[in-house]
Amino acid sequence: MEKVERRFLIPFANVQLERTQSLLWRSWKRAGLHLHSFLFHKGFVYVLVGFLLGRAFILSEIIPFALPFFGAVWLLKRDKALLAALSLIAGAFTISLELCLLVLSSICIFLLLHKMTSFFIKTDEIKILPFTIFSGLAASRLLYSKLTAGFISTYDLLMTGVEAGLSIILTLIFLQSIPLLSVRKYKQTLRVEEIICLMILLASVMTGLVGISYQNIQAEHVLSRYIVLLLAFTGGAGIGCTVGAVTGLVLSLANVSNLYHMSLLAFSGLLGGLLKEGQKAGASVGLIIGSLLITLYGEGSADVWTTLWESGAAVLLFLLTPKSFTEQLAKHIPGTNEHVLEQQKYVRNIRDITARRVDQFSNVFRALSESFSTFYPEDGEDIERETDLFLSKITGQTCQTCFKKEKCWVNNFDQTYQLMKQVMDETKEKTYANNRRLQKKLHRHCSKANLVVGTIEQEMHFLEANRKLKKQVQESRRLVAEQLLGVAQVMSDFSREMKKEREHHFLQEEQIFYALQNFGLEIGHIDIYSLEKGNVDIEMSIPYCGGHGECEKIIAPMLSDILNEMIIVKNEECAGYPNGFCHVVFGSAKAYKVETGVAHAAKGGGLVSGDSHSMIELGVGKFAIAISDGMGNGERAHFESNETIKLLEKILQSGIDEKIAIKTINSILSLRTTDEIYATLDLSIIDLQSANCKFMKIGSTPSFIKRGNKIIKIESSNLPIGIIDDFEVDIVDEQLKAGDLLIMMSDGIFEGPRHVENYDLWMKRKIKEIETDDPQEIADLIMEEVIRSRSGAIDDDMTVVVARINHNTPKWAAIPVSNFYKSKKIS
């Protein structure tokens, strides 16, 4: 029984503990939200800041803080201006009644001057605010001196000028810092200038704590060290030192005895930031050591215990500060890890939103493609309905005025309908003229047989035209559907590429860095974007090498050995001066490379050829060769072939599939004009990683592959582009090998030789007889042989392109590195 009770009591206790912890967490979270709402939404933060600034002064008599704060709140948060004014007056009243009256009078004079200035001067309020504050503070101070002393001395004028001048500077600072105290709906990165402005505001607020102490422990000292420690821990040594110097400077202006606090806070912030890697304990130790050292150096051992107690109180406040608060604060300070992660998160969100939008567009295009590709084939009812409409049209033109109408279509409807339908079918098949039996039957049945037959023949032309138009619309819809699907696929691939994040290869970067450094090479930085096999992408900065080629000769071969893959220099930007750095991009070398040669001639030796060709390397590791032959010769043929090649280049480089690209070009050329113009297209796309080649021949002549003494013929039976609206593209796949020669030509070359019956055998024999393997020499020799066979005459445009497939072997072999680094798996 006891075992059973234990088994159930222990889980029940765990559940109760978890519920208690969850309840406490929700209560703490709710209290934090209420405090945040009370401070920022209801404006209590302006009350707190205003109360302390109302107490703040410099050199025991200058009060430049109150009016600039009220003016900034009046301009930026007018609904909180009354709270700010009341808090400033209340803070000044805790010092003296005279100071309270001085603050009140300065606020009233400022409001009066601001109203008058805005009435007479129509300009931006921000531009005139510093001048109205200067005038209001100077007027109130001079009025106070006149009423209290009866005259205005030179000293009063000097102090008034200093106080009013400081008010202008503080106004500009408060305009920058007060918006940081408000509730923001977006993430904002604080610039260094904004951090300094905010610290001046906080230091000004801390001057309002002057005179508040307990057992010689000054409140402004504790709060200033806490803030310096907090920012040094979140922002690092640079921020901590800057904040300490600014805070100490403002506090020393309020009380000359606090002058040494500027160096104390700056040095403490520096040590706290340097020891932040030791978490809160390390930063706290840095503050205590820094404050003790400066105290011993400046004030001696008399104030050591006071400084120690003040630093200890600041450390206690720092240790009680929640971790969530420091993390949230660090997100707004540039250079911190939290800020970097926040920026990466923001960029990732923007990327995801953009990728989703692209996916949505892709889905829209895909849906449109499905909509256009939906066809409704004609069924029996559609054909019967079409026949009824056709015959009703015939009867409307012939039988409506006939005296035998009632006999034919009322008494003998079925017989008349079948007879008319049979005549319609025979006329459609063009066999009615030879069907004597049907003619006699129609003449016996119908008194207007000749009129009926003539009308059927006439209307049959319109029926066939309508059917042809309907078919063309369906073919156009199919073509549009394929094009939309191609665009949708391209956008989907683009979205997938956008979603790929830059992979973190910190370990690999460190391994490569030390491997190169161990070899004696100085490296600035290394960024690895991809280590995928065949798609390596590494960026590196190296010192200026004076053009000796260290990247190509040393670094790339070493990377080849480290990554077990041939690496080459893709791009190099050399420094413009000796002490600069060169930026280099390394990438995977393709397994194969293509060397090309071309020879072409216009008809009759002219300048304008109807043939066009292109050799482009696509961005997906492929190489495309294309030849287009426009119909005829001259400028019109050149225009058609050139347009075909340009369209092909643009579409292929966009990533659309080859078949869709060719069909798109065909539809553009067929719809662009009503003239009977067309162009052939001979396209081959070589994969530079596998050497596989796709051949697409649209009305073009055969191509040939020379592999040693073997000649391989490549051909297909597609019509030229632009002749018909719809056609299927036949693709011929052929696996090429290193050393193969690919020879493509227009019909001017293939059909150019005179007195040749079999062009295939003649071309194969000539290619086989060529001994050189240089692509340009082969192209020139083939062109020369064809022209010689015609006794030097060029009767047609001629183009021949020769490509040789070779292994891509960089001229610099891999350099082996230390076995220590090779033993580390880099992938």
Side-chain angles (χ1 to χ4, degrees), residues 716-758:
S716 64
S717 58
N718 293 317
L719 290 174
I721 286 181
I723 289 184
I724 59 176
D725 294 334
D726 183 61
F727 64 99
E728 290 297 326
V729 180
D730 294 332
I731 297 179
V732 179
D733 279 326
E734 187 68 31
Q735 181 63 49
L736 302 181
K737 298 181 180 179
D740 285 357
L741 290 167
L742 172 60
I743 303 165
M744 301 168 59
M745 61 192 71
S746 63
D747 58 351
I749 293 289
F750 184 72
E751 300 174 358
R754 184 179 293 177
H755 308 305
V756 173
E757 294 183 0
N758 193 325

Side-chain angles (χ1 to χ4, degrees), residues 382-411:
D382 292 336
I383 296 175
E384 184 178 354
R385 188 182 303 109
E386 186 181 49
T387 302
D388 292 344
L389 291 174
F390 181 81
L391 293 180
S392 64
K393 195 172 184 180
I394 298 298
T395 56
Q397 298 180 18
T398 57
C399 300
Q400 289 294 334
T401 58
C402 181
F403 64 94
K404 296 176 66 177
K405 172 185 175 182
E406 185 175 353
K407 177 182 179 182
C408 296
W409 290 105
V410 176
N411 300 330

Side-chain angles (χ1 to χ4, degrees), residues 528-666:
I528 299 178
Y529 292 92
S530 174
L531 289 176
E532 181 184 353
K533 198 72 173 177
N535 191 31
V536 172
D537 187 5
I538 301 175
E539 293 187 6
M540 194 179 301
S541 65
I542 64 169
Y544 181 72
C545 62
H548 298 302
E550 289 182 0
C551 301
E552 183 183 11
K553 300 174 183 177
I554 300 177
I555 299 179
M558 291 183 66
L559 291 176
S560 301
D561 186 74
I562 294 173
L563 301 176
N564 294 321
E565 182 179 353
M566 191 55 65
I567 305 298
I568 61 174
V569 176
K570 289 292 188 69
N571 185 32
E572 182 177 5
E573 297 179 4
C574 289
Y577 48 94
N579 295 327
F581 278 81
C582 303
H583 183 74
V584 191
V585 179
F586 298 92
S588 300
K590 303 302 179 185
Y592 295 89
K593 64 179 180 179
V594 179
E595 185 180 354
T596 60
V598 60
H600 54 87
K603 180 179 180 181
L607 298 177
V608 180
S609 173
D611 295 347
S612 296
H613 66 277
S614 177
M615 294 167 284
I616 57 173
E617 185 168 355
L618 305 179
V620 289
K622 296 181 179 180
F623 191 86
I625 304 173
I627 298 177
S628 179
D629 183 7
M631 182 183 68
N633 311 102
E635 293 185 0
R636 185 64 182 272
H638 172 76
F639 177 78
E640 293 301 326
S641 62
N642 191 44
E643 284 294 307
T644 302
I645 290 294
K646 287 197 299 184
L647 284 172
L648 181 67
E649 287 180 355
K650 299 297 183 184
I651 296 175
L652 287 179
Q653 287 176 342
S654 69
I656 292 181
D657 184 73
E658 297 87 358
K659 278 188 175 183
I660 299 176
I662 293 175
K663 288 188 175 184
T664 302
I665 296 173
N666 178 76

Side-chain angles (χ1 to χ4, degrees), residues 450-595:
N450 293 329
L451 179 61
V452 169
V453 172
T455 305
I456 289 177
E457 290 178 350
Q458 182 180 0
E459 292 296 329
M460 188 59 66
H461 293 296
F462 295 107
L463 180 63
E464 291 298 324
N466 288 333
R467 287 181 174 176
K468 184 178 180 181
L469 179 61
K470 186 177 180 180
K471 184 178 180 182
Q472 289 178 346
V473 170
Q474 289 183 345
E475 297 299 338
S476 299
R477 289 182 60 188
R478 184 180 292 111
L479 177 63
V480 171
E482 292 177 351
Q483 293 171 348
L484 290 173
L485 184 61
V487 173
Q489 187 62 41
V490 170
M491 297 185 73
S492 179
D493 295 340
F494 176 62
S495 174
R496 196 179 304 113
E497 289 294 327
M498 289 178 61
K499 292 177 183 177
K500 287 184 180 179
E501 296 187 21
R502 176 187 179 274
E503 300 178 11
H504 296 291
H505 301 284
F506 300 119
L507 178 62
Q508 293 83 352
E509 289 174 2
E510 184 178 357
Q511 291 171 356
I512 293 175
F513 181 83
Y514 284 115
L516 298 176
Q517 194 177 53
N518 187 59
F519 194 77
L521 296 173
E522 183 181 354
I523 304 297
H525 76 274
I526 298 176
D527 291 323
I528 299 178
Y529 292 92
S530 174
L531 289 176
E532 181 184 353
K533 198 72 173 177
N535 191 31
V536 172
D537 187 5
I538 301 175
E539 293 187 6
M540 194 179 301
S541 65
I542 64 169
Y544 181 72
C545 62
H548 298 302
E550 289 182 0
C551 301
E552 183 183 11
K553 300 174 183 177
I554 300 177
I555 299 179
M558 291 183 66
L559 291 176
S560 301
D561 186 74
I562 294 173
L563 301 176
N564 294 321
E565 182 179 353
M566 191 55 65
I567 305 298
I568 61 174
V569 176
K570 289 292 188 69
N571 185 32
E572 182 177 5
E573 297 179 4
C574 289
Y577 48 94
N579 295 327
F581 278 81
C582 303
H583 183 74
V584 191
V585 179
F586 298 92
S588 300
K590 303 302 179 185
Y592 295 89
K593 64 179 180 179
V594 179
E595 185 180 354

Side-chain angles (χ1 to χ4, degrees), residues 281-310:
S284 302
V285 170
L287 174 71
I288 294 174
I289 293 175
S291 59
L292 287 177
L293 287 176
I294 297 298
T295 302
L296 288 173
Y297 179 76
E299 297 294 323
S301 59
D303 294 334
V304 168
W305 286 107
T306 302
T307 302
L308 189 60
W309 282 109
E310 290 173 345

Side-chain angles (χ1 to χ4, degrees), residues 192-208:
V192 177
E193 296 82 0
E194 292 177 331
I195 295 176
I196 294 175
C197 291
L198 183 59
M199 288 315 304
I200 292 176
L201 173 62
L202 293 179
S204 303
V205 170
M206 281 185 280
T207 58

Side-chain angles (χ1 to χ4, degrees), residues 217-227 309-310 313-314 317:
I217 299 176
Q218 300 293 329
E220 71 273 15
H221 295 169
V222 175
L223 186 59
S224 62
R225 294 176 194 184
Y226 166 70
I227 291 177
W309 282 109
E310 290 173 345
L317 289 176

